[in-house]
Amino acid sequence: MPEVYLDHYAASPVLPEVAKAMAPYFTEEFGNPSSLHSRGDAARIAVEEARARVASLLGADPGEIVFTSCGTESNNLAVKGIAWAARRKGNHVVVSAVEHFSVLHAARTLEKFDFEVTEVEVDETGTVDPESVRAAIRPETVLVSVMTANGEVGTIQPVREIAEVARERKIPFHTDAVAAAGCERLEVGELGVDALSLSSDMLCGPKGVAALWVRKGVRLMPLLDGGVQEGGRRGGTENVPGIVGMGLAAHLARDNLDSRAVYLAGMRDALLERLPAAIPHIRVTGHPTRRLPWNASFAIRFIEGEGMLLFLDQKGIKVSSGSACTSRALKGSHVLTACRVPTDIAQGSLLFSFGLENKMADVDYVCEVLPPIVERLRQMSPLYAKYLKEGGG
Amino acid sequence: MVEIAQYSETVMDHFMNPRNVGEIENPDGVGEVGNPVCGDMMTFYIKVGDDGRLSDVKFKTFGCGAAIAVSSMVSEMAIGKTLDEAMQITREGVAEQLGGLPANKMHCSNLGADALHKAIQDYLSRQTAKEG
């Protein structure tokens, strides 16, 4: 049975050269970058080289890169860190309704500390209108945070335009670029943003390491108080092997950005075109064209995502779903809700996220295996029976 | 069969090969529980024999793997039982027969017994209506 892994938004295999480059930093070059002896020196040099590589991916100054433990920490540090540091100036934060929970829930935590939060709505494609952001801004707004692209439905946001709106009002603008990193150009100067999150695993680097870029001059209150690591913005001994891995992954992503994007988009487009041709009552979620090259997301009517996911797993295909039944919290995807996908249809959500090791044959295999699974589940579905009896609707 | 830690072997078996899926033409009772908005929806159809036992039970289910496995197990447990016996089938009993269910699926997906009981109540109220 073929093994077809199409869940790269959840996790990706670490590139072999990245894993190889990390290995010595567990056992031989195990030093602490803060130590003054030569062991520490070697670790510090490795961390600084990685910092320069991550900065280079963003066209940024290495001194503006803060290494963290995951994309969630980067987003928390940006949202809470910038808002708290600016508390005397104001107490209002603007985010979009489709942000990752690490932004949305960080903003909700701010509400417990006298902040007010406006969640800007999106249209049916999941796109934020820059004018909605403009309308949400108040005199006391101290931060705007809108993601570069949404990983669940793939929609790429008009980040430059939103950044422009924030800049006119001199409000710091953060963008969560975790889902976009590695296949979208992220030159921070050109984007006009003030802070940007990215994580190593979306670059085919190791888990457990990520980064936040913060423009010089933007004040940030640390979440982790401790030593003066990361320029005093994040205490704690550095994850040296992870940082080395992320550095190389960022370097490889920068060198191969366009070819990766083209390669992934080929498979994405094939699936976006072929599945709707093979399965009736299916819709593509997210934006039809302005979407991440690796993301093909669908909602399939009358059936529920977990059933499809389990049957696909039996055939060697690994995917994910935004259905309530597949989430640990048993709540449907807030992103699909924000895109006004009706709740019963959102239950049939299926997300295919492509990675570098996928091949076009994987698309062929999905198109062969999925339609009979859908048919089988529909034969069990009371909703489908009702639909057939009522003759449509 | 690919195994996943979340579900027991019995759950996976009943999910992959559900027993008694379908509808009964001219059923003696129908019970529907849940709704697609909250995630799971089950419809049970029953046929009652002259001996007062459930001669046939069929179901249609919209929901996760656990919901489908629960429906299948309930149908299997109910066939051949008297109505009183079938009314004694509980959510806990179904979960036990399935070799356990994940804690977060105990409530939302474990509606099969409720749907069966509703179908039996439907049958009983039809009988009352006939007699009345």
Side-chain angles (χ1 to χ4, degrees), chain A residues 147-367:
Chain A
M147 66 202 333
T148 312
N150 183 285
E152 273 186 61
V153 296
T155 304
I156 296 172
Q157 301 296 350
V159 170
R160 282 174 199 79
E161 290 81 351
I162 299 168
E164 181 69 40
V165 167
R167 196 165 51 229
E168 282 170 21
R169 304 287 294 268
K170 298 194 167 55
I171 298 165
F173 176 64
H174 164 252
T175 190
D176 166 9
V178 167
C183 47
E184 291 295 316
R185 294 228 160 263
L186 296 173
E187 301 276 334
V188 289
E190 191 209 331
L191 288 174
V193 300
D194 300 298
L196 181 146
S197 304
L198 75 169
S199 90
S200 156
D201 50 359
M202 291 299 289
L203 301 168
C204 307
K207 297 176 191 64
V209 58
L212 176 67
W213 167 81
V214 193
R215 185 186 297 283
K216 227 170 251 152
V218 175
R219 290 190 58 219
L220 192 68
M221 184 172 280
L223 298 183
L224 296 185
D225 292 309
V228 291
Q229 292 92 349
E230 302 303 306
R233 292 164 295 186
R234 202 260 186 194
T237 299
E238 296 85 345
N239 169 7
V240 179
I243 288 170
V244 166
M246 181 173 185
L248 181 54
H251 178 70
L252 294 169
R254 179 177 174 270
D255 283 358
N256 300 295
L257 198 75
D258 294 334
S259 60
R260 280 186 190 179
V262 168
Y263 181 67
L264 294 167
M267 295 181 286
R268 172 202 65 185
D269 289 342
L271 195 63
L272 287 176
E273 192 186 316
R274 288 170 59 187
L275 268 193
I279 298 171
H281 312 296
I282 181 172
R283 64 162 88 174
V284 173
T285 56
H287 198 281
T289 53
R290 280 180 56 95
R291 64 190 300 143
L292 291 168
W294 50 258
N295 177 298
S297 61
F298 303 90
I300 300 176
R301 264 182 88 184
F302 310 120
I303 54 177
E304 188 278 324
E306 193 198 85
M308 288 190 272
L309 206 143
L310 294 174
F311 272 123
L312 285 170
D313 193 20
Q314 297 296 324
K315 296 283 187 183
I317 300 172
K318 325 294 184 196
V319 297
S320 60
S321 165
S323 90
C325 306
T326 55
S327 84
R328 277 198 207 160
L330 297 179
K331 277 191 180 160
S333 155
H334 69 287
V335 175
L336 295 175
T337 304
C339 297
R340 299 176 193 83
V341 178
T343 318
D344 57 328
I345 296 177
Q347 288 285 11
S349 135
L350 219 47
L351 168 57
F352 299 86
S353 45
F354 288 94
L356 300 175
E357 79 284 4
N358 288 126
K359 298 205 159 47
M360 199 54 102
D362 298 341
V363 174
D364 298 339
Y365 186 55
V366 169
C367 291

